[in-house]
Amino acid sequence: MTNTGYVLAGIAVMSGVTWAIRMIPLALIRRRFTNRFLLSFLYYLPYGVLAAMIFPAVFTACGSVPVSVLAAATAVLLSFFHAKLTFVAAVSVAVAWAVGLLIS
């Protein structure tokens, strides 16, 4: 059985850490950034982190690496031509499904 106090203490610690890493920069940095490199870095940081978390999982999502590679290539190609996100997702899933049927 899980000790309720232990769980609540864990939640409190996680909340405190989350609060601290968000509030410390706000409390210490009073002026706006003017460095273009730093502004650009901070602008693209969420996209880089999201890509680093999602991209490796793309190749194991279908259960077969060749199917996953073809679906990912389809998504990248459609994205390159500025297709809508919903369309890219739907076509990539359809490609993964069709290639999966053909391979197995």
Side-chain angles (χ1 to χ4, degrees):
M1 289 290 171
T2 305
N3 184 0
T4 306
Y6 182 73
V7 172
L8 291 176
I11 292 171
V13 168
M14 287 186 289
S15 298
V17 169
T18 301
W19 178 81
I21 61 176
R22 291 172 186 238
M23 289 307 296
I24 288 172
L26 288 175
L28 296 179
I29 302 170
R30 298 278 181 194
R31 59 185 173 85
R32 299 203 40 93
F33 294 118
T34 56
N35 185 339
R36 291 182 62 171
F37 175 76
L38 184 61
L39 288 173
S40 176
F41 175 77
L42 292 174
Y43 179 80
Y44 288 109
L45 185 66
Y47 300 109
V49 170
L50 187 62
M53 291 188 315
I54 291 176
F55 198 71
V58 167
F59 296 110
T60 58
C62 296
S64 170
V65 175
V67 172
S68 298
V69 167
L70 286 173
T74 302
V76 168
L77 184 67
L78 288 173
S79 298
F80 182 74
F81 289 111
H82 303 286
K84 300 283 186 187
L85 179 60
T86 307
F87 180 73
V88 171
V91 171
S92 299
V93 168
V95 166
W97 180 73
V99 173
L101 284 177
L102 290 173
I103 288 179
S104 59

